Amino acid sequence: AGAGKPSARRGFTLSVAYVLGVAVPYTIAGLLVAIFGAGLNLQFLLQQPTAIIFSAVIFVLLSLAMFGLYELQLPEFIRSRLSNVGRHQQGGSTWSAALMGAISGLVVSPCVTPILAGALIYVASSGDALTGALSLFSLAIGMGVPLIIMGTGGGHLLPKAGKWMEDIKRFFGVMMLAIAVWLLARIVPASIAMGLYGVVAAGYGI
């Protein structure tokens, strides 16, 4: 937008720079969580029944955020400072796009907190720094693919806000509940786990 009417190539370059900027804080988070997890032997600790139940409860609570029961976000003073930094960046510059992406990765991360938390829990259980960094980098790149497509094709490809956005949030909320059941399946009888899966599926249908 800062470049007026950029070509598809220019739009692609700026969009990729933005998405790579978004990937920076995610990759660092994955790396640190993996190293921290390895140091504390979290892979063993997370297999204990208490830890499994705690993780399942976390996923249930995160799913409630996806259902709109409450909202997860950074404190106001942090969001306002990051937004002020972003507003002072010059549009149309590759480096500015990358910096905006890095700032946006921090500002809008609460929008994907349940998914991000799930990825971090997986990374912590792996204990592998390379896996941690690549997992969160891949998450950020996957999130950025639609942005790259829209940035390359121009504003006419931007989807309109609507009910479909709420449907997607509810879908991911159901996925969070399914993950909670999957975790509990390690310590509860198979019949109970299947029953819980049925409750989740029926609830989604309703």
Side-chain angles (χ1 to χ4, degrees):
K5 293 183 179 180
S7 63
R9 181 177 180 180
R10 181 62 175 166
F12 176 79
T13 302
L14 291 175
S15 300
V16 169
Y18 179 88
V19 171
L20 290 177
V22 172
V24 170
Y26 282 76
T27 304
I28 294 175
L31 179 65
L32 293 178
V33 168
I35 294 175
F36 183 69
L40 293 179
N41 196 18
L42 289 180
Q43 185 173 8
F44 170 76
L45 295 176
L46 289 175
Q47 299 303 316
Q48 303 304 308
T50 302
I52 292 176
I53 294 174
F54 181 74
S55 298
V57 170
I58 289 178
F59 275 105
V60 172
L61 294 176
L62 292 174
S63 71
L64 297 179
M66 301 299 278
F67 295 138
L69 187 63
Y70 55 88
E71 185 175 346
L72 296 170
Q73 60 182 6
L74 292 172
E76 173 62 27
F77 73 95
I78 297 179
R79 287 187 287 121
S80 60
R81 289 184 180 181
L82 291 175
S83 297
N84 288 334
V85 174
R87 281 196 295 267
H88 286 85
Q89 299 307 309
Q90 180 182 3
S93 166
T94 303
W95 286 107
S96 294
L99 181 58
M100 283 292 297
I103 295 173
S104 297
L106 298 174
V107 174
V108 306
S109 59
C111 298
V112 293
T113 296
I115 303 170
L116 182 60
L120 290 176
I121 290 175
Y122 164 75
V123 166
S125 65
S126 71
D128 185 353
L130 180 61
T131 298
L134 289 179
S135 296
L136 271 294
F137 177 80
S138 300
L139 173 64
I141 296 300
M143 290 166 47
V145 168
L147 301 179
I148 294 175
I149 295 174
M150 296 170 193
T152 303
H156 62 279
L157 292 180
L158 289 172
K160 295 181 179 180
K163 183 178 179 297
W164 66 273
M165 298 177 67
E166 292 299 322
D167 292 338
I168 290 178
K169 283 184 62 177
R170 283 192 288 268
F171 172 77
F172 279 112
V174 172
M175 290 298 100
M176 292 294 153
L177 292 177
I179 292 175
V181 176
W182 176 73
L183 290 171
L184 291 175
R186 305 176 184 181
I187 58 175
V188 301
S191 58
I192 295 180
M194 292 301 295
L196 292 175
Y197 278 126
V199 171
V200 171
Y204 187 36
I206 294 173

